[in-house]
Amino acid sequence: MNVYEELLESDVKYNPKIVRQLITSNRKKSGDITEKTKKIIFFMMKKIIIKGIANFFNIHRNRGNEVPYESEDMVVELYLVLHECMKKFDPEKEKNFYLYYNSAVSRRIIRMSNYRSVYIPGVKKVSIDKKFKNSDGEEVGVLDFVYRDWE
């Protein structure tokens, strides 16, 4: 069973007081958040994670693009987002980690949805894998085409 399937089957409920206490007590004890605590909070955030993965897949389907990542890759990416959020979360200023993490996941999903496209004036969206013929008749990739224009 992979982590995504574990998330779907888990029944851990989010509790803001517990999350705040876990983060605060871990920082006091060891100066950092332990892996066990990260895993507990990760499973508490399952609704955000599952919703974020579904949004990512829907964005790509609506654009007519192939989905470049599997759900397991997305789970790993959102775990890294959780790690960063836990390092930066200040329980004194922020009251609800759920909202803090939700906004970070939304930003990452949007960023990841735009990884495979590059803006070229006059062209709506171009995949990085797309090949063009330059003025010399050579076949070049989008990045070669864009970087040449920037030089």
Side-chain angles (χ1 to χ4, degrees):
M1 179 181 295
N2 62 30
V3 180
Y4 184 68
E5 291 169 352
E6 284 182 43
L7 274 171
L8 291 173
E9 292 182 8
S10 74
D11 60 347
V12 180
K13 302 289 184 210
Y14 174 74
N15 185 325
K17 290 180 183 178
I18 292 174
V19 170
R20 224 174 311 124
Q21 289 171 352
L22 282 170
I23 292 172
T24 306
S25 65
N26 269 235
R27 285 183 183 160
K28 285 180 182 175
K29 286 181 187 173
S30 64
D32 200 10
I33 313 296
T34 63
E35 289 301 317
K36 185 177 179 181
T37 301
K38 286 179 193 173
K39 188 172 182 180
I40 292 168
I41 294 175
F42 189 69
F43 278 91
M44 285 183 175
M45 300 292 139
K46 90 175 205 173
K47 285 184 181 178
I48 294 173
I49 295 163
I50 292 168
K51 185 179 68 174
I53 292 170
N55 286 343
F56 178 77
F57 289 139
N58 287 334
I59 289 169
H60 280 279
R61 278 192 215 110
N62 291 341
R63 290 180 180 173
N65 298 340
E66 287 184 31
V67 180
Y69 305 107
E70 298 291 323
S71 59
E72 194 67 25
D73 299 329
M74 295 299 299
V75 168
V76 171
E77 188 68 31
L78 297 181
Y79 183 81
L80 295 173
V81 172
L82 178 81
H83 175 75
E84 287 300 313
C85 285
M86 290 178 81
K87 281 181 10 184
K88 294 178 181 176
F89 183 70
D90 184 5
E92 310 287 316
K93 292 181 184 176
E94 306 279 342
K95 294 206 185 287
N96 198 340
F97 184 78
Y98 191 88
L99 298 174
Y100 187 77
Y101 182 62
N102 190 25
S103 61
V105 165
S106 297
R107 284 190 303 271
R108 182 64 59 95
I109 295 296
I110 290 168
R111 231 178 280 134
M112 288 179 70
S113 298
N114 293 325
Y115 278 170
R116 309 260 328 144
S117 63
V118 175
Y119 173 75
I120 297 177
V123 178
K124 287 186 181 178
K125 285 186 183 173
V126 179
S127 169
I128 289 177
D129 302 327
K130 177 109 171 127
K131 299 290 183 184
F132 289 99
K133 292 206 180 215
N134 65 10
S135 57
D136 300 330
E138 299 171 346
E139 199 169 276
V140 295
V142 170
L143 294 179
D144 299 327
F145 182 76
V146 171
Y147 290 140
R148 185 194 70 203
D149 287 349
W150 285 344
E151 294 178 343

